[in-house]
Amino acid sequence: MDGKTHFIGGCLTGMGIAQYTNADLITAVSFTLLGGFVGLVPDLDVKGVLTKKISINKKWLIAVLSIIGLYLILSTSLSPHTYWQKWQGLLIGSALLVLPLLIITQKRMLILTGALVCLLSMYYESIWLMMLGIYIAVASFLPHRSLTHSLLGLAYFSWLGYFMEKEFLVDGMMFVCMGGYASHLLLDMKWLPKNRRGIKLFLPFSKVEI
Ligand SMILES: [Zn+2]
């Protein structure tokens, strides 16, 4: 299923849980949005819908490094520098222009994003944020629609939700994480005619597609 459907599915789940827990208006809106976001999470794996949007955009990083490279080349060649310094400027500047194009991939950007979220979690001393960082970094190594689309992924994210609920002190948050995630798996299953392929729900124990 596409991102939009997953987002709507997650939002509806969050809204349902807000109804069920008699949440006040602000909590209900937060649950709806949280559900929508969690509904997108399993596609954080490489080639997933969310990957390009969430991870630091590689095009921006390449653009910034290219500008620094160009500046180095121009500034060292135009202003009075020794012959050797000009060569150095040209060499480093060219490396900054060319290397990022070869080295920076979306996968590596995803790993970097995960690592940054982990760092942030240490700053805020937050367990769920740490778990999210680990999830993002690990997902970058997984094939599309594999472990992120399994019961193990669901269990992990529900566990993350448990810590989120404890940190925010809002009852029902864990259920929103669990429900939002489950809604994604349901919408990616074979029972919907639109899905030609199902998901391997019981990975790593069984590869059967459901
Ligand atoms: Zn999916």
Side-chain angles (χ1 to χ4, degrees):
M1 277 295 165
D2 56 14
K4 237 182 260 166
T5 316
H6 283 308
F7 184 72
I8 294 169
C11 282
L12 290 175
T13 311
M15 219 189 268
I17 291 166
Q19 272 279 333
Y20 187 74
T21 53
N22 285 322
D24 59 61
L25 187 66
I26 294 174
T27 313
V29 173
S30 326
F31 275 14
T32 307
L33 289 174
L34 178 66
F37 173 73
V38 177
L40 292 168
V41 160
D43 279 347
L44 265 172
D45 50 14
V46 175
K47 287 179 188 154
V49 208
L50 199 56
T51 307
K52 279 193 189 120
K53 287 177 190 147
I54 279 203
S55 65
I56 303 157
N57 198 312
K58 67 170 187 175
K59 279 182 203 149
W60 277 103
L61 192 62
I62 290 174
V64 170
L65 291 175
S66 306
I67 291 168
I68 299 174
L70 266 178
Y71 173 77
L72 259 178
I73 294 172
L74 288 175
S75 64
T76 45
S77 59
L78 292 178
S79 50
H81 279 95
T82 62
Y83 183 70
W84 173 235
Q85 279 172 329
K86 282 185 184 183
W87 265 107
Q88 262 184 329
L90 187 69
L91 214 70
I92 298 171
S94 315
L96 283 173
L97 274 176
V98 179
L99 283 181
L101 289 171
L102 306 173
I103 294 173
I104 297 174
T105 61
Q106 204 64 50
K107 179 182 169 174
R108 288 177 187 146
M109 286 290 96
L110 202 57
I111 300 171
L112 191 65
T113 308
L116 284 177
V117 173
C118 281
L119 268 178
L120 212 66
S121 76
M122 286 177 206
Y123 180 74
Y124 287 110
E125 294 180 351
S126 159
I127 297 175
W128 73 269
L129 209 55
M130 168 72 81
M131 288 180 79
L132 183 66
I134 293 171
Y135 183 99
I136 295 172
V138 170
S140 69
F141 289 98
L142 299 174
H144 184 39
R145 282 180 161 227
S146 63
L147 269 177
T148 54
H149 288 61
S150 71
L151 286 177
L152 203 66
L154 174 64
Y156 182 88
F157 219 82
S158 309
W159 192 29
L160 183 155
Y162 166 77
F163 285 110
M164 202 184 215
E165 183 170 317
K166 269 182 111 179
E167 281 172 41
F168 285 96
L169 296 172
V170 180
D171 281 342
M173 233 168 190
M174 188 188 109
F175 286 119
V176 178
C177 289
M178 193 189 263
Y181 205 99
S183 77
H184 185 110
L185 302 188
L186 273 171
L187 287 170
D188 269 355
M189 282 179 186
K190 256 199 273 191
W191 62 273
L192 282 171
K194 209 182 159 194
N195 295 329
R196 263 172 287 153
R197 283 182 54 205
I199 53 168
K200 298 176 184 115
L201 197 61
F202 302 107
L203 275 178
F205 308 107
S206 157
K207 283 186 174 169
V208 68
E209 272 194 12
I210 291 180

